[in-house]
Amino acid sequence: VLEDCGRECGEKILRRMERSLEQLTEKGGKPYASHASFGLSVSTEAPDADGDQLLTLADQAMYENKKRYKESLGEKAPELR
């Protein structure tokens, strides 16, 4: 939960988190890749939503991102499909 942080701010933070995870994976020298899917909801875009509803919206966005990521892998990772 971030106060005074709209969509642009939230997306910027998510990109930083993704880059940090990529760097951590690269530095770790592990024989496997790591990936995380994130979801974002913004209260000003759903002004009537309560906390539970905002969490549900963020969860839905996370699953949409996860699906897009898996689709982007195509035949490179059939076990994820």
Side-chain angles (χ1 to χ4, degrees), residues 37 62-72:
S37 297
M62 186 251 333
Y63 280 108
E64 289 170 16
N65 286 333
K66 182 182 222 100
K67 181 180 176 186
R68 278 195 297 275
Y69 173 74
K70 287 180 181 180
E71 289 172 350
S72 75

Side-chain angles (χ1 to χ4, degrees), residues 25-37:
T25 300
E26 290 171 6
K27 289 178 184 177
K30 301 294 182 191
Y32 50 84
S34 296
H35 179 80
S37 297

Side-chain angles (χ1 to χ4, degrees), residues 4-75:
D4 300 321
C5 183
R7 178 157 300 278
E8 184 177 335
C9 171
E11 288 175 350
K12 184 177 179 180
I13 291 169
L14 290 181
R15 285 192 300 274
R16 280 195 339 233
M17 291 171 61
E18 289 169 341
R19 280 193 306 272
S20 293
L21 178 60
E22 289 170 6
Q23 291 171 352
L24 181 63
T25 300
E26 290 171 6
K27 289 178 184 177
K30 301 294 182 191
Y32 50 84
S34 296
H35 179 80
S37 297
F38 300 96
L40 174 68
S41 66
V42 182
S43 63
T44 56
E45 294 174 6
D48 294 331
D50 63 18
D52 287 337
Q53 292 165 327
L54 289 170
L55 183 57
T56 297
L57 292 171
D59 197 42
Q60 289 170 349
M62 186 251 333
Y63 280 108
E64 289 170 16
N65 286 333
K66 182 182 222 100
K67 181 180 176 186
R68 278 195 297 275
Y69 173 74
K70 287 180 181 180
E71 289 172 350
S72 75
L73 294 176
E75 295 303 315

